[in-house]
Amino acid sequence: MREEQMQEAPVKVLLVGVDIGEEADFEYSMEELASLAEAAEKEVVGQIVQRLDHVNKALYIGTGKVDDVRRLAEERGAQEVVFDNSLTPSQVRNLGKELELTVIDRTNLILDIFAIRAQTREAKLQVETARLQYMLPRLVGMYDALSRQGGASGSMSNKGTGEKKLELDRRKIEHRITELKKELEDVSRTRDVQRRKRQQSRTPQVALVGYTNAGKSTILNRMVEQFGELPEKTVMEKDMLFATLETSVRSIDTGHNKPFFLTDTVGFIHKLPHGLVKAFRSTLEEVKYADLLVQVVDFSDENYRQQMQVTADTLKELGAGDIPQIVVYNKADKCGMEPLPQKRQEHWYLAAGQNTGIRELAEAIEQQVYADNVDCTFLIPYSAGNVASYLMEEAQVFSTEYREDGILIHADCHRQDMERYKTYMTQ
Ligand SMILES: Nc1nc2c(ncn2[C@@H]2O[C@H](COP(=O)(O)OP(=O)(O)O)[C@@H](O)[C@H]2O)c(=O)[nH]1
Ligand SMILES: [Mg+2]
């Protein structure tokens, strides 16, 4: 409590949105903007929306509306104005001048949240890269505007100074981005090595994906507590947008000798800045290498269908659109659905928050990722020691028995391995 009191008061913000009839659910987008502002530790003191056919090129909103925004901001003591869409560099500049307040857009807000949440070195590097990359084109825009101003006034010396300063800033930023990319490459090399180790172990990899706040981390945690190799290794779960940015991988085994790796990663959101997706590529790549995706949906959210569409689009962008999926309709408790869990077609309705349906989901995952496996018994002669050690390493071995005529191995192995070592099979 005391710690909280010592913190600075949150920045007061006013939200502004323009509805040009392009979005299926404009109101929802504004609600989400408010949650994003909260997650960025700001206090929302008001909201203004405008219905327009086209956004205003210079000011984004209509000229008259700028006065409304100024008046309301003053009345409510807002220090910043947050716009629901990406603003052009000149719109930010013009609005800042007109309103005499800090003007930011949705992308800024998401970048701020990521900066606050980044814990690991990798996440910090990724966020800084995304922020600088976001700034770079805006800097060039400013540079263009200044050159135009210089040209109009005819003052060549002014133009020269402005150009030089901006060119210098641009180079500095580009240089820093290059440095960051190198550092990130080092970090992602470590990640590659770890991933390759997991791939070599042939243990299937399963990734939790979906909209932010759907319950991915809750599912991972409940599974880790019940079936994890290290049950204490849980991750942060919280009612907040982007509570988890880091990728965590945990080993899960329900006791059927069909272990799998379960990965939790950053969630998706409507209008997730492209630069962030790019900067977080190495983290998100974990998704691309998964054998199975578990798409977690907040079934209690009235916009869950739109959220599923955003998830599908983002997965496609990551090159993970074709990986098989199990869909989990989570938070079904909030919809009064009974009994839980329920399976319809191949998909699950459950309530991870109430620890309901976790075992069923884990078993469904097992079944799917081990679908190509067969239960076999081999008798491997001692002269074929390499085959025995291969099977010990690659198959899920239930039992071994050293007999006079060889090693009897009862295992769950891949169909291909069964074909290959058919001659040694006893049944
Ligand atoms: N009512 C309800 N709440 C849930 C359920 N699963 C998760 N939650 C809550 O939803 C919030 C977001 O969960 P989290 O796992 O952090 O979501 P993530 O962003 O997808 O990782 C947390 O406050 C959870 O306690 C559920 O089945 N029912
Ligand atoms: Mg999470």
Side-chain angles (χ1 to χ4, degrees):
M1 187 67 207
R2 186 171 302 148
E3 214 173 78
E4 235 159 61
Q5 282 167 352
M6 274 164 62
Q7 272 176 12
E8 283 175 38
V11 175
K12 293 188 168 140
V13 298
L14 193 67
L15 309 181
V16 180
V18 171
D19 182 6
I20 52 168
E22 234 177 20
E23 273 174 65
D25 197 340
F26 173 71
E27 251 168 60
Y28 166 49
S29 188
M30 288 305 289
E31 272 166 34
E32 198 169 74
L33 189 68
S35 312
L36 283 170
E38 248 168 65
E41 299 173 358
K42 298 177 194 288
E43 183 190 341
V44 178
V45 293
Q47 168 175 318
I48 286 190
V49 295
Q50 187 175 27
R51 173 89 193 83
L52 285 178
D53 289 333
H54 304 282
V55 298
N56 183 309
K57 244 192 167 157
L59 291 164
Y60 189 69
I61 45 176
T63 327
K65 215 57 180 178
V66 175
D67 295 329
D68 293 351
V69 172
R70 191 186 304 111
R71 215 170 301 130
L72 190 64
E74 208 169 313
E75 201 183 294
R76 306 264 168 101
Q79 297 143 288
E80 283 181 11
V81 185
V82 185
F83 286 78
D84 187 40
N85 247 309
S86 281
L87 298 173
T88 65
S90 66
Q91 284 167 343
V92 173
R93 212 172 37 250
N94 296 340
L95 282 165
K97 232 183 276 166
E98 289 283 330
L99 296 169
E100 292 180 349
L101 290 168
T102 307
V103 171
I104 62 174
D105 62 11
R106 192 185 177 97
T107 306
N108 276 132
L109 213 50
I110 297 179
L111 287 170
D112 282 352
I113 299 168
F114 273 58
I116 295 169
R117 300 272 186 283
Q119 297 280 339
T120 57
R121 176 155 162 262
E122 182 177 30
K124 284 180 185 159
L125 292 171
Q126 286 168 325
V127 173
E128 194 185 344
T129 312
R131 276 186 140 173
L132 291 177
Q133 257 157 356
Y134 176 75
M135 258 173 82
L136 203 58
R138 282 163 177 76
L139 213 64
V140 175
M142 274 161 68
Y143 159 84
D144 284 348
L146 273 192
S147 326
R148 270 199 302 278
Q149 273 171 12
S153 70
S155 152
M156 292 307 285
S157 63
N158 265 357
K159 180 185 170 191
T161 330
E163 253 178 37
K164 261 185 214 146
K165 168 136 183 38
L166 282 162
E167 186 53 30
L168 209 67
D169 284 351
R170 200 164 66 95
R171 276 207 219 130
K172 260 193 224 156
I173 292 180
E174 275 172 349
H175 180 71
R176 179 72 187 135
I177 291 177
T178 314
E179 267 179 5
L180 284 167
K181 279 194 175 151
K182 265 192 221 131
E183 274 188 69
L184 266 171
E185 264 167 36
D186 287 344
V187 182
S188 60
R189 211 163 295 135
T190 318
R191 182 181 287 290
D192 284 348
V193 171
Q194 288 166 347
R195 184 169 51 227
R196 222 162 295 136
K197 261 194 207 149
R198 288 198 302 271
Q199 277 168 344
Q200 274 165 5
S201 79
R202 283 261 212 118
T203 304
Q205 314 217 31
V206 182
L208 293 158
V209 295
Y211 218 69
T212 178
N213 216 39
K216 299 179 294 300
S217 301
T218 306
I219 291 182
L220 178 91
N221 286 344
R222 297 300 86 78
M223 256 187 218
V224 165
E225 285 159 5
Q226 288 176 58
F227 311 120
E229 206 172 29
L230 301 164
E232 69 283 3
K233 289 199 84 176
T234 52
V235 301
M236 163 144 86
E237 56 180 79
K238 206 170 172 191
D239 187 11
M240 182 192 270
L241 299 184
F242 299 113
T244 16
L245 287 193
E246 354 284 339
T247 296
S248 317
V249 184
R250 300 287 182 268
S251 173
I252 305 289
D253 190 344
T254 61
H256 297 131
N257 213 356
K258 292 183 176 174
F260 57 88
F261 286 118
L262 188 62
T263 302
D264 180 30
T265 188
V266 58
F268 306 147
I269 197 167
H270 180 46
K271 301 182 199 159
L272 185 66
H274 184 71
L276 261 182
V277 177
K278 254 174 83 183
F280 274 74
R281 191 161 279 276
S282 69
T283 311
L284 288 167
E285 290 232 302
E286 297 288 346
V287 170
K288 211 169 90 180
Y289 293 101
D291 301 295
L292 174 71
L293 300 180
V294 175
Q295 183 186 164
V296 186
V297 178
D298 179 352
F299 190 51
S300 71
D301 193 312
E302 54 179 314
N303 296 298
Y304 80 91
R305 280 181 197 282
Q306 276 149 274
Q307 300 184 342
M308 289 177 80
Q309 189 54 51
V310 171
T311 301
D313 294 342
T314 315
L315 286 173
K316 216 165 153 195
E317 191 180 342
L318 289 169
D322 295 330
I323 302 174
Q325 276 191 22
I326 293 181
V327 181
V328 170
Y329 295 97
N330 190 34
K331 307 195 191 182
D333 55 308
K334 278 174 131 182
C335 314
M337 203 169 170
E338 273 180 73
L340 288 176
Q342 268 182 49
K343 187 184 177 195
R344 292 191 193 164
Q345 275 120 23
E346 284 313 299
H347 306 307
W348 286 90
Y349 293 76
L350 49 82
Q354 304 192 333
N355 217 346
T356 302
I358 298 299
R359 171 173 282 279
E360 289 82 352
L361 177 62
E363 288 174 351
I365 293 173
E366 271 174 12
Q367 260 184 25
Q368 185 133 351
V369 290
Y370 283 95
D372 274 342
N373 278 39
V374 265
D375 195 314
C376 347
T377 307
F378 300 99
L379 180 63
I380 318 276
Y382 291 106
S383 56
N386 56 335
V387 175
S389 47
Y390 173 85
L391 287 173
M392 301 283 223
E393 188 81 2
E394 300 296 340
Q396 308 301 325
V397 178
F398 297 124
S399 67
T400 52
E401 190 188 326
Y402 290 82
R403 302 195 335 188
E404 236 171 68
D405 46 353
I407 312 172
L408 193 71
I409 299 179
H410 177 203
D412 190 57
C413 68
H414 200 273
R415 205 171 284 280
Q416 277 171 2
D417 288 338
M418 180 197 79
E419 294 294 334
R420 198 147 123 212
Y421 301 119
K422 230 179 181 137
T423 47
Y424 301 122
M425 274 176 71
T426 58
Q427 29 178 285

